[in-house]
Amino acid sequence: MVHLLSSIQTRLIKKPVFNKPAYWLLPGLLLLAGSAKAQLGASSLNGPGIAINADYQPSSHYIRPEDSLKMPATTVQRRFTLGAGFTLSQKIDTATGKMRMWNLGVMGSYTSFSNKDYEQHIFPKELFGGEIALQHMRTLNPKWSLMGMVSVGLYTDMEKITYEDVFITGGVIFIRKINSKLNLGVGAALTNSFGTPMVLPALLVQWRTGNKFRVDINFPEKLSVSSSLSKYDDLALAFRFNGGAYDVENRADGKRLMGYQEMSLGLENTLHLSKKIDFNLAGGTVLLRSVTFRDKKLSDMFSTRPEHRLATNLYISAGIRCRF
């Protein structure tokens, strides 16, 4: 799952992702925690531009929740994502160094599941996520910055589209620059993920260091170690989190809120075709893919629900990004 808004954030923050047990609540919190991003795997945007990405995960056996038994049923997953980020305005006070910026992001993601030999309906045939987000960032003083954001998204299994498929999130986060390598952020977000609007915390940890080998931690999106093979080629080993919330139909138990979680470990190669265009190719293993189903009620927020999983498998991903 997959959210977007791009900005020039190198001195502030970048893009986070998911944190169990409440990962199904975070499609909007990611934005507040600095994502303002398109979650495109190795082709993620971190500046104004356009990115497109495709990934493929071959046939994986279904693992049922009651006894973690691997079943004959299998699922093949394909995902296509397109994102664009724009800087609407940027003002810098040359005397004080303070900055004010407005950004706009648009994202669309389509996922298809080819399911075979299931005894009951579990994984949907397809998922669509589309979103538009507006972000404001400003420097308060040399150590503190503020980011506010509001986003409106449509997250659906495409069986039937109603107001239940619309997710709205807004909030603010305060970012403390500890030093040139570490940023910490805390704030709050208002979201309708569980039907009734509710306030949730938003957190950010970003740490980046290294010369020949660069260590990049963006909580809760990824942990990566990368190195430049040449001025045209970068290679990284990345541990990534991905996920989100969707409104789904046709569940026998009537539960509409599907939470999706994914964790992967792989090599990501970036070729710099020009100063503004990059090609990315990645591959590795998906350590975890799971879904849970809940009612859109506040009372169901932290209840324990069966976790339907797919077995560990390989993945391949390719994408291209163009910076403005």
Side-chain angles (χ1 to χ4, degrees), residues 17-251:
V17 180
F18 293 89
N19 186 20
K20 214 174 176 182
Y23 64 84
W24 59 88
L25 295 175
L26 297 181
L29 296 186
L30 297 184
L31 298 173
L32 296 172
S35 71
K37 63 161 185 169
Q39 177 57 40
L40 303 175
S43 291
S44 296
L45 285 168
N46 50 14
I50 297 175
I52 185 171
N53 198 81
D55 59 68
Y56 174 74
Q57 300 175 34
S59 181
S60 301
H61 283 279
Y62 167 61
I63 300 176
R64 65 186 186 186
E66 51 264 36
D67 52 14
S68 297
L69 183 65
K70 186 182 292 186
M71 305 298 291
T74 60
T75 294
V76 177
Q77 183 175 334
R78 300 172 180 86
R79 181 166 51 209
F80 303 92
T81 310
L82 173 67
F86 308 91
T87 298
L88 301 180
S89 70
Q90 179 178 349
K91 295 181 180 180
I92 299 177
D93 188 325
T94 55
T96 63
K98 290 185 177 182
M99 179 270 295
R100 289 184 296 172
M101 181 185 297
W102 287 92
N103 299 308
L104 180 70
V106 182
M107 181 276 294
S109 178
Y110 174 79
T111 304
S112 68
F113 297 91
S114 299
N115 305 308
K116 292 185 178 181
D117 301 325
Y118 281 84
E119 296 179 356
Q120 57 180 323
H121 176 79
I122 298 175
F123 295 92
K125 294 181 181 179
E126 54 189 352
L127 292 171
F128 173 80
E131 183 174 83
I132 183 168
L134 180 67
Q135 178 199 58
H136 176 61
M137 300 177 64
R138 64 168 57 213
T139 304
L140 301 178
N141 57 48
K143 289 293 185 179
W144 285 92
S145 298
L146 171 69
M147 180 172 68
M149 184 176 294
V150 60
S151 69
V152 179
L154 180 71
Y155 291 89
T156 176
D157 61 357
M158 301 180 70
E159 293 286 344
K160 182 181 178 182
I161 298 178
T162 67
Y163 71 92
E164 296 280 355
D165 300 274
V166 177
F167 291 79
I168 302 173
T169 301
V172 296
I173 186 167
F174 292 89
I175 304 148
R176 175 73 157 85
K177 182 178 180 180
I178 306 301
N179 53 47
S180 60
K181 299 177 182 179
L182 177 63
N183 293 309
L184 300 176
V186 62
L190 181 68
T191 178
N192 70 337
S193 294
F194 272 79
T196 303
M198 61 184 301
V199 177
L200 296 170
L203 302 173
L204 165 73
V205 177
Q206 184 191 30
W207 181 67
R208 200 175 198 183
T209 187
N211 294 316
K212 183 177 180 181
F213 292 97
R214 298 182 298 275
V215 178
D216 191 358
I217 298 176
N218 285 308
F219 174 82
E221 183 215 357
K222 72 170 183 177
L223 186 158
S224 70
V225 180
S226 62
S227 179
S228 296
L229 303 180
S230 72
K231 65 178 181 179
Y232 303 107
D233 193 6
D234 294 333
L235 183 65
L237 176 65
F239 178 58
R240 287 183 177 270
F241 301 84
N242 192 13
Y246 293 83
D247 184 81
V248 297
E249 306 280 344
N250 302 330
R251 289 283 302 169

